[in-house]
Structure formats: structure tokens, C-alpha cells
């Protein structure tokens, strides 16, 4: 049975439709490491079932020698049911148990239990970051009793709370303002601010006990509109002095979108207005060279303006009252999860931190995190329990030491693009225990959207580098979406040259465009709201549906961009011919529907692509970020497009269109606009 042609009839009988030529080839890959690139809707589950059948029918493995791994319990249960109904007749009739089908965490638990002789207890702290937060909060409060730790907390809040966004690096004003809006800059007192330099000035004044008013009204009439741009940002009521930060470098150059000469002239004119109060100027170059605070101190001393630095206890009390300490604790709690999941030793942690875009900021956060992590580990030890990351870490240790010997000769992995390095390390250790063992992985680098969970795309795109000599094939036909959707989606995701190139033809062929753009136009007082547009689209679907009911998926990057449950229920009652669901793009992975509506396609922090900044320590603890801009966000849009069988509707804000929408329009994609 080892020859492919001898197995075709056996494999085809397992599925409702005959396997394609590429699916058959994939089922019989025969290296120590095998990778199947399965695009959206290309039948990856059929290949996994076919692979199991091939191993059993050909005699390459007995059922108990096969391990199939999925990432979630639901996926494992579905695979278990699928394999049970697709086993070849020669084995299904016997009483032999089927292959082992498990999640990674369940596998780790089984390995630990086999070695230690008992099932370890799962800590209540493992239920999520929310369950861990009270312990982290308590550990933080205890750590604050140490003067050194307390000083580091204040230093961190003063210097490292936000990424160091340099305004001179932006060529356009809109891009810079969008970046600042995404970061939501606040002073230690909670005031929303317009630049990191303003935040630093405000925080220094606060720490020195100097009362200030931010964006205080200028007391004199402005003689020219250009003066508005150079108004002082801070007023010191006790001395009557104003502080103004000007975005000029050492050579007098302004921001790329500013006329430097006009900007300087306006600043001088405002200062020399008759009766104008005292203005102290600071400059971009002073902020950029980390001299801003020293300049402020010198300027105030020269004017004999007194101040009295606040004691640390007073600063902390104020920060606690304004909720800033709680924000920091929540941030550290999030970091703890990533730190634990990485299973780092000292060498790998050092290597990870070296890749940070802001290593100083990342290390400052790690200093604050370590005592909280130690307390968390002590609590697990005290309760003789573990979390989910321990299941992987201890399993790795038991396999690496030889305390656990794998009974499996064939290891199959679903959704391989979602794998993290510790899980991949466990797979490699299990496979390498036996020279005849093989690894068979099915995934799609075009649908890799879980870096924030530790998924490392390079394990797919550089598969052979990690697992050794490998066989690879790409499934070339999708049974889900038509060619018009495929033309847009496949071209769009491959605009990133780092994505693996592969053909993905559509079984369904249509002539007209099936990706439609709808503008939400808020200009000129039109006020077209998303809900009204969605209702219009749903009504059109009812009128045009040929085989009701039609399934509809409403998708967005963030849940708040979607209609709430009450609105969905109203629409479901209004349009009973439709089956309507709403979910995030991450939640929609693996789902499909006749019609898909993508919402929230705007620019900014909460748009798509999201410009929300990842903290440097979290970024350093995650797999290395890709060089191509918004690479994972691009794959998110691809996932959204490829959930649709028939039609995709894009809802975009005309005032703040997503860069992805602009790309689709300017690069000549086949859209219905």
C-alpha cells in the first residue's frame, strides 16, 4: 500500500468528496518532518484524517503509536469525532483504541502524570490574568515597602510608561497625530497630552511640587492665526511664568510638515507682544538628548522660582488616588503571563531582550516584574499546584531528561502556524527519541494571527531550519470562497514578500466583483452610522437571497466596533431569513458564512490595522516582530475576507479610512465601489 496510486481509492472513500491530487500527495509525505500548507477552506481536516488512514492502512503505525495535537479542547473534540467516523474499515471494526487526540496542555499533563505518578493540581491562578491579578497586586504592595523598589517604580512611571515616539521621524502630520492618539499619552496626574515632551515636563513639575495648569487660556488676544501653534502649554500660577515647548532641533529645523521660518517667527512674535508675560522656552533637541529636565531646573533657578520636591510617599499617595499605580499593576500582571509562557532560561531571556526596540525600557520593566514573578512562583509551590505554562515546561524537562519515553511514532499537529517555541521544542524532543518517528504538521502562514499568545510564524516559514530536513506541499484548491474573493484576498496577503508563495485556486467561479466597499461618510453633516448601513445591507441580502436562510458574519478587529447583543437580536427578528452572528476577527478563525461584513475599517489605535503599541518588554518576550509593516494585521484582514463563501462587504470611514482600504483602492484591486 505504500504506492500513492494504490491508496487513492482507500483515501477517497473516507471523505464526502474525492481528495484532490495535492491532498493525496500531502497524506503520504514521508520525511522525519513534514509540512502541509493548507490555505483557507482547502480541506486541512480531510488531510489530517487521510494521513491517519494512510498510516493505519499502510501499516506504518498502529493506532496507539499515533498522536494528533490540537490547540483547543473544542478543536480536539471535533477532530476526535472526525477521525472516529473516518477510520478505515479494517481497523474501525476492531476493538483497538484509536489514535491519541489531545491538546498541548493535556499532553503536558499526561507526561507529568506518567513520570511523577500522580495528576498535578491546576492552580486557580491559571484561570486567566484576572484570577492572578489580586496576588500580583498584593505582591506589588509588599515590594513597595522596599525603598529601592519604590524609587524604581517612580522612575519607571516618570521615564518609561510610554514608547519614545520621536516626532521628527514622521513625514506627515496625520501619521504623527495618529500615533499619539494610539498611545493615549497622559501625565502622572491623568491629563491627556499631545507629546512625550509635554508629559515629561508635566511629570517633572509634579515631582518637584510645582503647581501648574495645562493648556491654560492665553491672557492676550492673538494677532495672527499662526500664533495659536506656538502658545505655551503650561502656566505656573504661583510665579506667573509660562512654559512653552517648541519642536525645533539644534539647527532650528522644525517638524517635517512645518515651515521652520514661519514657526520661529510666530514664536518670537508671540513672546514680544506688548504686555506679554514671561515665557520659558524648551526645545525638541533638549528632549531628544535627555536634557529637558536639567534645562527646566536651570531656567527656574535663574528666575529664583522656588520649589519643594514632593516626598516619595506623597507622590505614591497621589498616584494611587489617580489610579496610575493600579494601571501599572495591571500592565505588570499582563507582562507576567508572557514572561512565564516563554519558558526562558537566562541565556534565552538575554537574547530575547536584545531584540527589543527599547531595551532600556524593557529592562526597567523587568526589574519591577521579577519580585512579582517570584511571589507568584512561591504561591504555586506553596499550594503544590501549577499553571498551564508549567504543564509545557515540566513536560519538556521530563522528555529532555529521558524520564518520559514517547510511545508515539507519528505525531500530527493541526493549526501549526499557531505554535510557540516551547511547544515546538516539546514536539522535537518527542520525535527525536525514536529514529523512525515522524512529525506531520498542517498550517497556513497566511492565517498566522496569534503572535500575542506566543505563536512564532518563523517555525512555519523556516520549518526545516528548526526541525531538520523536511518535505513540504501546499494545498492548491479552496472549497470555500469564489475566485473573485480569492483574487483580492490572496493578492493582498502576498503583498508581504515574507509570506510563503503558494497557489490557491477557487472551486467556485464567478464573473463579477464580490468584494464591495461601503463608505461611512461623516463629512458635510451626513452622519451615516454603521448600524443604519448594516441594516440596509441585511435588507438587501434578504431581497437577493436565492436559497434562504443565508448565514451572515459581522466581523471587526475589536468587539466594540460590532453591534451589541440587543441589536443583533432585533435584526434577527426583523430578518428571520438570515442567520446573523457577530465576532472579532480572532474569534472568527475557522468559521465561515455565505456573507461577511467587515466593520471598523478605519485608521488609528482601534482600527484595522490597529496602531496600538505593544510594551517593549512584552514585545521582547514574544517572537521577533516582522519587518514588514502591519504584517499580522494584514493577515487578520485576510482571515476576515476568506470567511465568506459568496460576498464580502467592507465598511470604511471616509474621514479616517484604514490604510488597507486605501491600498485596495490605489493598487487596482477588483472591488465593487
Amino acid at each position: 500500500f505504500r504506492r500513492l496510486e494504490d491508496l487513492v481509492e482507500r483515501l477517497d472513500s473516507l471523505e464526502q468528496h474525492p481528495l484532490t491530487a495535492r491532498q493525496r500527495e500531502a497524506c503520504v509525505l514521508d520525511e522525519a518532518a513534514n509540512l502541509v500548507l493548507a490555505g483557507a477552506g482547502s480541506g486541512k481536516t480531510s488531510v489530517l484524517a487521510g494521513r491517519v488512514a494512510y498510516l493505519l492502512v499502510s501499516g506504518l503505525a498502529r493506532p496507539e503509536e499515533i498522536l494528533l495535537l490540537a490547540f483547543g479542547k473544542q478543536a480536539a473534540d471535533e477532530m476526535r469525532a472526525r477521525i472516529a467516523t473516518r477510520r478505515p474499515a479494517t481497523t474501525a471494526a476492531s476493538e483497538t483504541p484509536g489514535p491519541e487526540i489531545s491538546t498541548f496542555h493535556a499532553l503536558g499533563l499526561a507526561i507529568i502524570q506518567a513520570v511523577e505518578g500522580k495528576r498535578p493540581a491546576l492552580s486557580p491562578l491559571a484561570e486567566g490574568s484576572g484570577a492572578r491579578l489580586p496576588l500580583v497586586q498584593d505582591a506589588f504592595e509588599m515590594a513597595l515597602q522596599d525603598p529601592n523598589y519604590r524609587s524604581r517604580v517612580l522612575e519607571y512611571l516618570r521615564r518609561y510608561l510610554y514608547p519614545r515616539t520621536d516626532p521628527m521621524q514622521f513625514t506627515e502630520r496625520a501619521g504623527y497625530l495618529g500615533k499619539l492618539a494610539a498611545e493615549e499619552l497622559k501625565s502622572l496626574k491623568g491629563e491627556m497630552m499631545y507629546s512625550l515632551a509635554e508629559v515629561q515636563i508635566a511629570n517633572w513639575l509634579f515631582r518637584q511640587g510645582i503647581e501648574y495648569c495645562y493648556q491654560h487660556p492665553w491672557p492676550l488676544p492673538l494677532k495672527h492665526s499662526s500664533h495659536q501653534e506656538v502658545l505655551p502649554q503650561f502656566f505656573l500660577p504661583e510665579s506667573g511664568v509660562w512654559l512653552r515647548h517648541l519642536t525645533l532641533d539644534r539647527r532650528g529645523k522644525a517638524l517635517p510638515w512645518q515651515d521652520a521660518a514661519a514657526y520661529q517667527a510666530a514664536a518670537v512674535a508671540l513672546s514680544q507682544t506688548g504686555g506679554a508675560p514671561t515665557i520659558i522656552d524648551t526645545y525638541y533637541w533638549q528632549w531628544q538628548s535627555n536634557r529637558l529636565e536639567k534645562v527646566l531646573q536651570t531656567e527656574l533657578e535663574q528666575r529664583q522660582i522656588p520649589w519643594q520636591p514632593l516626598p516619595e510617599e506623597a507622590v505614591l499617595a497621589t498616584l494611587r488616588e489617580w489610579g496610575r499605580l493600579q494601571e501599572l499593576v495591571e500592565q505588570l500582571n499582563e507582562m507576567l503571563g508572557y514572561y512565564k509562557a516563554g519558558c526562558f532560561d537566562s541565556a534565552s531571556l538575554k537574547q530575547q531582550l536584545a531584540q527589543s526596540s527599547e531595551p532600556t525600557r524593557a529592562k526597567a520593566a523587568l526589574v519591577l516584574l521579577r519580585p512579582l514573578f517570584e511571589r507568584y512562583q512561591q504561591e504555586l509551590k506553596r499550594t503544590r499546584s501549577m499553571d498551564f505554562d508549567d504543564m509545557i515546561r515540566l513536560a519538556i524537562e521530563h522528555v529532555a531528561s529521558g524520564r518520559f519515553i514517547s510511545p508515539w511514532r507519528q505525531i500530527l499537529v493541526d493549526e501549526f502556524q499557531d505554535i510557540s517555541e516551547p511547544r515546538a521544542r516539546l514536539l522535537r524532543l518527542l520525535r527525536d527519541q525514536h529514529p523512525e518517528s515522524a512529525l506531520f504538521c498542517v498550517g497556513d502562514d497566511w492565517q498566522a494571527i496569534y503572535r500575542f499568545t506566543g505563536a512564532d510564524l518563523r517555525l512555519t516559514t523556516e520549518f526545516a531550519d528548526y526541525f531538520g530536513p523536511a518535505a513540504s506541499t501546499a494545498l492548491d484548491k479552496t472549497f470555500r470562497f469564489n475566485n473573485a474573493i480569492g483574487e483580492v484576498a490572496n493578492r493582498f496577503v502576498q503583498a508581504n514578500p515574507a509570506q510563503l508563495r503558494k497557489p490557491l485556486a477557487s472551486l467556485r467561479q464567478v464573473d463579477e466583483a464580490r468584494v464591495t466597499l461601503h463608505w461611512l461618510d461623516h463629512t458635510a453633516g451626513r452622519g451615516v452610522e454603521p448600524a443604519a448601513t448594516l441594516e440596509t445591507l441585511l435588507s438587501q441580502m434578504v431581497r437577493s437571497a436565492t436559497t434562504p436562510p443565508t448565514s451572515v458574519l459581522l466581523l471587526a478587529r475589536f468587539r466594540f466596533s460590532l453591534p451589541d447583543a440587543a441589536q443583533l437580536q432585533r435584526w434577527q427578528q426583523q430578518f428571520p431569513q438570515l442567520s446573523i452572528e457577530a465576532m472579532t476577527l480572532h474569534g472568527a478563525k475557522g468559521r465561515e458564512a455565505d456573507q461577511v461584513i467587515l466593520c471598523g475599517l478605519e485608521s488609528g489605535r482601534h482600527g484595522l490595522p490597529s496602531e496600538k503599541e505593544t510594551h517593549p518588554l512584552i514585545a521582547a518576550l514574544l517572537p521577533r516582530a516582522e519587518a514588514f509593516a502591519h504584517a499580522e494585521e494584514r493577515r487578520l484582514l485576510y482571515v476576515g475576507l476568506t470567511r465568506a463563501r459568496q460576498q464580502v462587504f467592507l465598511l470604511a470611514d471616509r474621514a479616517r479610512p484604514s490604510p488597507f482600504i486605501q491600498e485596495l483602492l490605489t493598487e487596482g484591486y477588483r472591488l465593487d465601489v
Side-chain angles (χ1 to χ4, degrees):
F1 287 109
R2 292 181 184 275
R3 294 176 59 83
L4 177 59
E5 55 267 29
D6 295 333
L7 281 167
V8 168
E9 184 176 350
R10 290 293 189 96
L11 295 178
D12 285 349
S13 67
L14 297 176
E15 297 296 318
Q16 294 178 347
H17 304 286
L19 300 183
T20 67
R22 282 293 180 87
Q23 286 177 323
R24 294 168 188 158
E25 291 175 20
C27 289
V28 298
L29 292 175
D30 197 20
E31 292 288 341
N34 306 282
L35 176 64
V36 179
L37 296 171
S42 63
K44 68 178 180 63
T45 307
S46 296
V47 169
L48 285 165
R51 174 68 171 182
V52 171
Y54 165 68
L55 294 173
L56 296 176
V57 171
S58 64
L60 287 174
R62 298 187 299 274
E64 65 272 17
E65 294 177 323
I66 300 173
L67 170 65
L68 198 156
L69 290 165
F71 279 86
K73 185 178 184 301
Q74 182 179 352
D77 290 342
E78 291 173 357
M79 189 65 66
R80 194 174 291 110
R82 183 76 173 264
I83 296 295
T85 59
R86 299 297 194 271
R87 288 179 64 186
T90 54
T91 58
S94 71
E95 296 181 358
T96 305
E100 179 72 24
I101 301 175
S102 173
T103 65
F104 276 90
H105 288 132
L107 171 65
L109 199 61
I111 290 173
I112 296 167
Q113 184 173 2
V115 173
E116 300 181 1
K118 60 180 180 180
R119 185 181 183 88
L122 180 64
S123 171
L125 299 175
E127 294 178 5
S129 59
R132 194 173 58 225
L133 182 59
L135 176 73
V136 173
Q137 176 79 58
D138 183 60
F140 179 78
E141 295 295 340
M142 290 183 62
L144 280 178
Q145 304 306 311
D146 180 351
N148 290 331
Y149 188 84
R150 188 164 59 239
S151 296
R152 290 190 177 107
V153 165
L154 293 175
E155 178 75 357
Y156 179 84
L157 290 171
R158 185 173 67 89
R159 297 184 58 189
Y160 301 119
L161 198 57
Y162 298 107
R164 193 170 173 82
T165 301
D166 189 335
M168 289 290 183
Q169 302 304 312
F170 292 80
T171 58
E172 297 180 356
R173 178 186 180 91
Y176 175 58
L177 293 180
K179 180 69 170 176
L180 293 181
E183 292 168 0
E184 296 182 342
L185 300 178
K186 294 180 184 179
S187 69
L188 290 177
K189 291 169 61 174
E191 302 144 318
M192 294 296 297
M193 298 201 160
Y194 293 99
S195 73
L196 278 173
E198 291 181 5
V199 171
Q200 188 173 357
I201 292 170
N203 291 348
W204 184 83
L205 293 172
F206 166 63
R207 289 288 308 277
Q208 306 313 314
I210 301 173
E211 183 182 353
Y212 68 85
C213 299
Y214 179 65
Q215 297 292 340
H216 193 70
W218 181 246
L220 302 176
L222 299 179
K223 294 183 177 181
H224 194 276
S225 59
S226 64
H227 294 177
Q228 185 73 38
E229 196 172 358
V230 293
L231 284 174
Q233 297 93 341
F234 298 90
F235 173 58
L236 309 185
E238 293 180 352
S239 61
V241 169
W242 296 74
L243 303 182
R244 178 173 60 177
H245 184 74
L246 298 172
T247 49
L248 295 169
D249 67 10
R250 286 180 181 271
R251 295 172 296 176
K253 180 181 177 182
L255 296 174
W257 56 87
Q258 292 176 320
D259 182 325
Y263 183 75
Q264 292 182 62
V268 171
L270 185 71
S271 300
Q272 294 179 349
T273 302
T278 301
I279 299 176
I280 296 176
D281 286 331
T282 58
Y283 298 91
Y284 158 81
W285 67 266
Q286 295 165 341
W287 170 82
Q288 196 269 340
S289 60
N290 294 316
R291 297 181 58 188
L292 188 56
E293 294 178 3
K294 185 173 181 58
V295 169
L296 283 171
Q297 180 175 336
T298 300
E299 292 283 353
L300 294 183
E301 286 176 345
Q302 288 177 352
R303 289 166 176 79
Q304 298 182 342
I305 297 174
W307 70 84
Q308 182 65 45
L310 293 176
E312 287 185 346
E313 292 77 6
V315 174
L316 286 172
T318 305
L319 295 179
R320 193 184 309 281
E321 180 182 349
W322 288 328
R324 305 316 301 275
L325 289 186
Q326 184 61 33
E327 291 176 13
L328 177 59
V329 169
E330 291 172 0
Q331 189 180 72
L332 291 169
N333 183 44
E334 182 184 8
M335 293 176 191
L336 193 153
Y338 290 105
Y339 185 72
K340 184 71 184 288
C343 298
F344 301 112
D345 56 25
S346 58
S348 60
L349 179 61
K350 183 178 180 180
Q351 184 178 7
Q352 286 289 120
L353 290 175
Q355 75 180 25
S356 173
S357 59
E358 295 182 68
T360 303
R361 184 172 173 232
K363 290 174 183 176
L366 185 58
V367 167
L368 301 186
L369 178 63
R370 276 185 170 138
L372 313 186
F373 174 75
E374 291 169 3
R375 170 71 184 281
Y376 174 73
Q377 290 295 94
Q378 290 168 4
E379 181 64 16
L380 292 179
K381 185 176 181 180
R382 184 187 70 80
T383 57
R384 298 183 180 180
S385 60
M386 64 173 55
D387 59 20
F388 290 110
D389 298 314
D390 285 327
M391 294 178 187
I392 303 299
R393 178 182 59 81
L394 286 174
I396 288 172
E397 292 178 7
H398 288 325
V399 177
S401 67
R403 292 190 294 271
F404 178 84
I405 303 300
S406 170
W408 305 294
R409 301 299 186 269
Q410 297 287 336
I411 303 173
L412 288 67
V413 186
D414 188 20
E415 300 286 7
F416 185 75
Q417 76 279 347
D418 297 336
I419 196 141
S420 64
E421 194 284 328
R423 286 167 175 76
R425 200 187 321 165
L426 178 59
L427 290 177
R428 189 169 60 182
L429 287 167
L430 288 169
R431 182 202 61 177
D432 290 350
Q433 282 191 338
H434 306 289
E436 72 278 15
S437 291
L439 187 62
F440 184 88
C441 304
V442 180
D444 182 17
D445 66 299
W446 293 2
Q447 298 184 79
I449 58 174
Y450 289 108
R451 176 175 175 260
F452 68 92
T453 68
D456 191 341
L457 178 59
R458 290 174 300 167
L459 294 166
T460 300
T461 58
E462 303 171 18
F463 185 77
D465 292 342
Y466 194 89
F467 291 103
S472 178
T473 191
L475 305 185
D476 60 355
K477 189 180 293 291
T478 179
F479 302 92
R480 181 184 300 158
F481 49 85
N482 56 53
N483 62 300
I485 293 174
E487 286 175 18
V488 175
N490 298 345
R491 176 186 165 192
F492 179 77
V493 75
Q494 291 182 97
N496 178 357
Q499 300 291 167
L500 298 176
R501 294 292 182 266
K502 52 182 180 286
L504 190 60
S506 298
L507 186 66
R508 299 187 180 97
Q509 298 292 309
V510 296
D511 296 326
E512 67 279 6
R514 290 297 181 88
V515 179
T516 301
L517 175 61
H518 279 265
W519 288 112
L520 300 174
D521 197 339
H522 297 288
T523 61
R526 291 184 179 182
V528 179
E529 294 300 323
T533 303
L534 286 170
E535 188 164 322
T536 299
L537 288 175
L538 295 173
S539 180
Q540 291 174 359
M541 291 176 191
V542 170
R543 292 196 300 269
S544 62
T546 56
T547 56
T550 296
S551 56
V552 183
L553 267 180
L554 309 180
L555 303 177
R557 176 66 172 83
F558 298 98
R559 183 161 293 281
F560 56 73
S561 298
L562 294 166
D564 60 25
Q567 179 65 75
L568 288 174
Q569 186 175 17
R570 285 194 292 270
W571 282 337
Q572 192 64 74
Q573 293 171 350
Q574 184 179 354
F575 305 111
Q577 306 94 327
L578 305 178
S579 172
I580 309 170
E581 289 186 272
M583 59 188 65
T584 65
L585 287 165
H586 285 101
K589 182 71 170 62
R591 300 294 297 274
E592 60 183 79
D594 297 319
Q595 313 275 351
V596 164
I597 304 175
L598 287 168
C599 309
L601 295 174
E602 58 192 40
S603 61
R605 178 183 177 91
H606 295 127
L608 181 68
S610 171
E611 296 178 11
K612 185 177 180 181
E613 187 79 15
T614 301
H615 190 283
L617 179 57
I618 293 176
L621 298 176
L622 290 173
R624 187 171 66 234
E626 298 160 81
F628 195 77
H630 302 307
E632 185 156 299
E633 298 288 305
R634 178 176 294 271
R635 293 192 291 271
L636 263 179
L637 182 55
Y638 172 81
V639 167
L641 292 168
T642 57
R643 299 311 93 193
R645 290 188 285 263
Q646 300 173 6
Q647 181 89 25
V648 179
F649 298 91
L650 308 175
L651 267 60
D653 190 331
R654 192 186 295 273
R656 296 188 297 123
S658 161
F660 289 161
I661 293 296
Q662 297 178 55
E663 179 181 336
L664 291 173
L665 290 170
T666 58
E667 296 299 321
Y669 285 80
R670 188 154 70 110
L671 305 178
D672 180 13
V673 181

